[in-house]
Amino acid sequence: MSARRRLTVRGVVQGVGFRPFVARLAGELDLCGYCGNDDSSVFIEVEGRHDAVENFVRRLPASAPPLAVISAVAVDDLPPQGDRTFRIVESRHTAGGRTLVSPDIATCADCLRELRDPRNRRYRHPFINCTNCGPRFTVITDLPYDRPVTTMASFPMCADCAAEYRRPTDRRYHAQPICCHQCGPRIWLETDAGRVDGDDAVLSAAQEALSAGLIVAMKGLGGFHLACDATNPAAVRRLRERKHRPAKPFAVMAPDVAAVRRCCTVSADEQRLLEAPTRPIVLLRKHGCGPIADEVAPGIDELGMMLPYTPLHHLLLEPPSTLLVMTSGNLSGEPLCYTNDDARARLADIADVFLMHDRDIAVPCEDSVLAVSAGREVPIRRSRGFAPLPVLLDSPAPVVLSVGAELKNTFCLTRQDFAFCSAHLGDMGTLESQRAFERSVEQLTTMHRVTPELVVADDHPGYATRQWAQRYSDATGVPMRTVQHHHAHVASLLAEHGRVGTRILGVAFDGTGYGCDRTVWGGELLLVGPDLLAASRVGHLRDFLLPGGEAAVRNPARVALALLHEASITDIDGLPCTRALDDPERDLVASQLRTGVGCVRTTSMGRLFDGVSSLLGVRHRVSYEAQAAIELEALARSADDAAAVPMALRDNILDFEPALRGIIAGLLGGTDPAALALGFHHALATATANLAATLADSAGVGTIGLTGGVFQNRILLRALRTDLERRGFEVLDHKIVPANDGGLSLGQAVLGIAATPSIGVAP
């Protein structure tokens, strides 16, 4: 008995080998029909024996390619038509529909075997790829995903590649970036002495430059890296000086896990992350005597390690260049360079050599960063390998554009029941960064062929993103809403867990957020209702004066003096934070604290960590965000035991005064600063758990959420989550978007959706 079915498959089903998979499955079951792409799905019609058709429908989602993400499959009965073959047909355009785009995928094992096989025609080809790996998001210029709408369109396939592309049994069947030595792309090297061409000559010259301690600007998958020998202290120092990045850690690329293990301790979960197709940077504990120069990550006990994810990386990391710093190709504070001309212009004073290629990058994309805490992934930066995978919303939504925060910026665009968070864009403090933000917004809205019906920004009137949103609204007539910073953090957490509508007590700890009372918040406990919009501040960190605003953020010693002033601790002359300031600066801070001139009040948990870091003598001045807190956490990890440090609760307020007095007593009594640092973490976790449990119980809430950048501190995150779970609470923390401001745009978007039910739902 013959049957025919039409299947419409939505999700990440283009650019992941889905159509070849469908064709192979149909051939295996002796079915006829066809499949193809349209703007929102893969469409399939299969015909054959009834049992074989049913088997096809059952196996399709269960056996899909590993990179596919299926969000829905619709199945309809059709009358048999007597097809005699199964074929892949041309893509179709459908009004209003857009499919999902796959992230970029690391080079697969099959391609690596070919890359290293002298008998293979792609031996040592720097751009080898197949349907299971290679560029996707960074080369796509439009949808549906076909070669003419990628940056590979300018490289005509040679006869051999074209034959593989059309052969259903080939691993490169309909692999859009397919290429080889004959059809390109090509690499070359630019030096002061001229240009070097030819793959082997280019790679050899680049390796010689790295071995000589030179800095190489290397065009990669989503932008340029600045590379140097990670074992050469002088080369790393030179890169720091030229990049104007005095202390912020650099990432290191190693050829394999064995090389990583020579530098760091690697658990099974961390190895799984390192080797995943996403190939993120993974934060790992250093060995005490590894080969990597101390200058790569000064002052901390971790290294950000990653494995090669392009064939060019694999070729470059062959001996002798086996451990390379790989940091973003930009000056600190500027956007990533991703075109050849831009790199030549902006990196000329940093790089000695340029390793170029002629495949354009359509969308710039930074490396992603993750860590592991108690076997669980902790996203730090969500970008390459993850963007632009969407967060699935509970129901179809209007088209909302949310513009994110000032630091670690991402933006978010909603369409149908998807929320698309952009790749990491960085800090919005420069005109170049703001222009990059605007280009990225235009790219994403154009790719999805949507016009925002609402734009959402942070309440903070000084954010560049808020000002951009206002200009956009004024120019287009699209209405604009603003939302409170910590409310958006909690909403982001609910959205990524698919729990919008759940009553939750959100613990939102971060550095800076514009408060409803126009002070600087950052240590907040918010009760959020089932409509998401009802949020009340039910607890917070004890407030204190922040002298000089941003000047205090850059100088944790000033924050320490402010905390001591708030706690009425006056005998401070011998403390490390006091000794770090000269007399004029001490006098200035004392005057500000006494008069309140040039001060704002804050409940910032991030600033509390900064102040304690200085109080313990860890870090008094910072050159990058959260440096003092990161180094304090590293010190705490080195402790054998935690010292007893008290912290109090007063009228639903976390009171740091007892902790300050306990730390000072410990310092004066000769207690190990590492034990005091760990004791502070534990005291804060216990006090927060006590307050959160009391507030949740009184409100009848069983779910507590942990969000905000402070929860990138894995000691605090693990201790607080464990304590709350032991008390019987459901605890939500971040798994998809970062807890820091990189996840804020998702929360802004869902708050905008909740506040605007009258806006029509996108098609």
Side-chain angles (χ1 to χ4, degrees):
M1 181 178 178
S2 184
R4 189 179 183 94
R5 299 280 191 278
R6 177 192 295 125
L7 294 86
T8 305
V9 187
R10 292 180 64 219
V12 180
V13 289
Q14 296 188 16
V16 295
F18 201 86
R19 289 175 297 173
F21 153 71
V22 170
R24 288 192 296 271
L25 181 58
E28 180 182 333
L29 297 172
D30 198 25
L31 297 174
C32 302
Y34 60 85
C35 71
N37 286 339
D38 64 25
D39 294 278
S40 62
S41 63
V42 170
F43 55 87
I44 307 165
E45 291 194 15
V46 289
E47 181 175 336
R49 295 189 326 274
H50 185 273
D51 61 333
V53 170
E54 292 300 314
N55 197 5
F56 179 91
V57 172
R58 184 176 64 256
R59 288 178 57 183
L60 181 81
S63 306
L67 304 182
V69 180
I70 296 175
S71 60
V73 180
V75 183
D76 298 297
D77 289 326
L78 296 174
Q81 298 179 11
D83 286 347
R84 295 183 177 276
T85 61
F86 191 94
R87 63 197 187 281
I88 294 178
V89 299
E90 293 297 317
S91 297
R92 301 172 179 172
H93 287 286
T94 56
R98 305 299 277 165
T99 192
L100 305 185
V101 178
S102 168
D104 301 298
I105 302 301
T107 309
C108 70
D110 289 329
C111 283
L112 284 179
R113 279 192 290 272
E114 294 174 346
L115 182 74
R116 293 162 177 157
D117 182 359
R119 299 164 299 178
N120 191 279
R121 71 185 192 88
R122 291 187 176 87
Y123 174 58
R124 296 179 63 79
H125 179 48
F127 301 93
I128 189 171
N129 68 87
C130 69
T131 55
N132 298 320
C133 69
R136 301 291 190 273
F137 178 50
T138 54
V139 298
I140 293 173
T141 59
D142 202 355
L143 295 172
Y145 176 55
D146 282 310
R147 192 179 182 96
V149 289
T150 72
T151 58
M152 290 296 297
S154 58
F155 300 96
M157 283 183 271
C158 67
D160 289 336
C161 284
E164 292 170 329
Y165 181 84
R166 298 188 182 100
R167 188 181 303 127
T169 57
D170 198 281
R171 200 175 81 253
R172 293 184 173 86
Y173 186 40
H174 281 246
Q176 306 308 332
I178 187 174
C179 57
C180 69
H181 288 289
Q182 183 173 343
C183 44
R186 289 176 171 79
I187 59 173
W188 69 91
L189 201 73
E190 296 179 7
T191 71
D192 290 341
R195 172 167 163 155
V196 178
D197 289 288
D199 293 351
D200 289 340
V202 169
L203 290 163
S204 177
Q207 289 177 326
E208 289 173 5
L210 291 164
S211 296
L214 301 183
I215 297 166
V216 175
M218 173 185 176
K219 188 177 183 181
L221 196 61
F224 276 79
H225 280 115
L226 291 166
C228 73
D229 182 351
T231 67
N232 183 332
V236 180
R237 285 195 297 269
R238 192 178 308 115
L239 176 56
R240 288 201 175 280
E241 291 165 2
R242 294 181 184 179
K243 190 174 163 68
H244 302 160
R245 184 167 161 173
K248 189 175 181 180
F250 288 138
V252 174
M253 183 175 283
D256 51 36
V257 173
V260 176
R261 290 188 186 280
R262 289 194 289 273
C263 310
C264 302
T265 301
V266 184
S267 70
D269 292 315
E270 290 165 339
Q271 179 171 343
R272 176 181 52 79
L273 268 186
L274 282 168
E275 296 180 326
T278 50
R279 286 294 197 279
I281 298 168
V282 181
L283 301 184
L284 303 170
R285 292 289 296 276
K286 294 179 186 176
H287 284 325
C289 54
I292 292 179
D294 291 340
E295 289 82 355
V296 169
I300 61 174
D301 60 341
E302 291 184 318
L303 287 168
M305 301 293 296
M306 62 177 161
L307 298 180
Y309 55 86
T310 72
L312 184 55
H313 290 148
H314 284 280
L315 294 169
L316 189 65
L317 264 75
E318 293 175 340
S321 300
T322 54
L323 289 167
L324 298 179
V325 165
M326 283 281 188
T327 190
S328 302
N330 57 3
L331 274 172
S332 291
E334 291 188 357
L336 182 67
C337 292
Y338 69 101
T339 70
N340 293 348
D341 287 343
D342 189 34
R344 292 185 185 105
R346 290 203 285 133
L347 302 181
D349 293 334
I350 304 177
D352 301 298
V353 174
F354 288 83
L355 177 51
M356 300 289 209
H357 63 71
D358 55 359
R359 184 179 69 200
D360 289 340
I361 297 169
V363 183
C365 199
E366 295 261 22
D367 294 316
S368 293
V369 183
L370 288 91
V372 174
S373 174
R376 301 153 69 105
E377 293 181 18
V378 179
I380 308 296
R381 186 168 75 193
R382 182 183 186 270
S383 203
R384 177 189 50 76
F386 298 93
L389 289 176
V391 175
L392 188 63
L393 301 175
D394 294 334
S395 59
V399 179
V400 173
L401 171 65
S402 56
V403 297
E406 192 77 352
L407 303 179
K408 297 180 173 63
N409 177 264
T410 67
F411 63 89
C412 182
L413 182 72
T414 64
R415 173 177 65 81
Q416 298 172 321
D417 51 353
F418 299 118
F420 300 92
C421 294
S422 74
H424 169 84
L425 293 171
D427 300 347
M428 293 291 105
T430 65
L431 182 60
E432 291 86 355
S433 297
Q434 293 163 29
R435 288 172 175 165
F437 168 88
E438 189 160 358
R439 284 194 302 270
S440 296
V441 169
E442 184 178 358
Q443 285 172 331
L444 195 61
T445 53
T446 299
M447 186 174 291
H448 287 281
R449 292 182 188 162
V450 293
T451 300
E453 300 168 75
L454 175 72
V455 61
V456 185
D458 192 274
D459 277 345
H460 198 307
Y463 275 9
T465 48
R466 159 84 181 263
Q467 294 163 5
W468 182 91
Q470 187 64 64
R471 292 193 300 272
Y472 180 89
S473 177
D474 292 343
T476 63
V478 172
M480 184 185 88
R481 294 186 67 92
T482 65
V483 296
Q484 200 279 323
H485 188 91
H486 302 95
H487 192 184
H489 271 307
V490 179
S492 170
L493 183 62
L494 286 167
E496 75 158 70
H497 284 273
R499 298 290 295 277
V500 172
T502 299
R503 291 188 74 215
I504 190 171
L505 179 72
V507 182
F509 287 172
D510 64 2
T512 300
Y514 192 70
C516 296
D517 58 1
R518 299 186 179 182
T519 64
V520 178
W521 286 9
E524 314 308 315
L525 288 89
L526 304 180
L527 188 62
V528 178
D531 70 349
L532 192 62
L533 298 177
S536 56
R537 186 194 198 199
V538 292
H540 58 82
L541 181 68
R542 177 178 174 178
D543 63 353
F544 57 97
L545 288 173
L546 195 63
E550 282 300 311
V553 175
R554 294 191 298 272
N555 296 279
R558 295 189 179 194
V559 179
L561 294 187
L563 292 168
L564 296 170
H565 172 84
E566 183 66 32
S568 299
I569 299 172
T570 56
D571 188 11
I572 63 174
D573 286 343
L575 297 177
C577 56
T578 307
R579 296 197 303 268
L581 304 179
D582 59 23
D583 289 342
E585 188 173 6
R586 282 184 61 184
D587 292 343
L588 171 64
V589 173
S591 174
Q592 289 176 316
L593 294 171
R594 185 175 60 253
T595 63
V597 174
C599 297
V600 294
R601 294 207 73 85
T602 184
T603 57
S604 169
M605 188 62 72
R607 300 292 80 78
L608 176 63
F609 271 83
D610 287 352
V612 171
S613 179
S614 178
L615 186 62
L616 284 170
V618 176
R619 174 60 56 182
H620 306 296
R621 318 278 189 189
V622 300
S623 63
Y624 65 89
E625 189 199 8
Q627 180 180 5
I630 290 169
E631 293 181 4
L632 179 66
E633 182 186 5
L635 177 66
R637 274 195 294 263
S638 72
D640 294 326
D641 294 296
V645 175
M647 189 169 287
L649 298 179
R650 177 175 50 83
D651 298 328
N652 296 340
I653 292 173
L654 293 163
D655 189 354
F656 50 75
E657 181 176 334
L660 300 183
R661 294 186 182 277
I663 289 170
I664 291 171
L667 284 174
L668 297 178
T671 303
D672 180 7
L676 291 168
L678 184 57
F680 167 72
H681 281 78
H682 288 178
L684 178 59
T686 299
T688 303
N690 289 338
L691 178 55
T694 299
L695 294 170
D697 285 340
S698 65
V701 171
T703 302
I704 296 176
L706 309 179
T707 187
V710 168
F711 283 111
Q712 291 179 171
N713 182 310
R714 276 100 69 201
I715 297 175
L716 179 64
L717 175 65
R718 182 171 59 251
L720 183 51
R721 184 178 61 221
T722 300
D723 195 338
L724 290 170
E725 288 176 342
R726 180 180 55 80
R727 298 171 192 241
F729 291 99
E730 177 190 32
V731 180
L732 302 183
D733 54 20
H734 287 275
K735 298 292 179 292
I736 299 176
V737 300
N740 62 35
D741 283 0
L744 197 74
S745 60
L746 174 61
Q748 292 174 341
V750 295
L751 284 171
I753 292 166
T756 53
S758 60
I759 291 180
V761 173

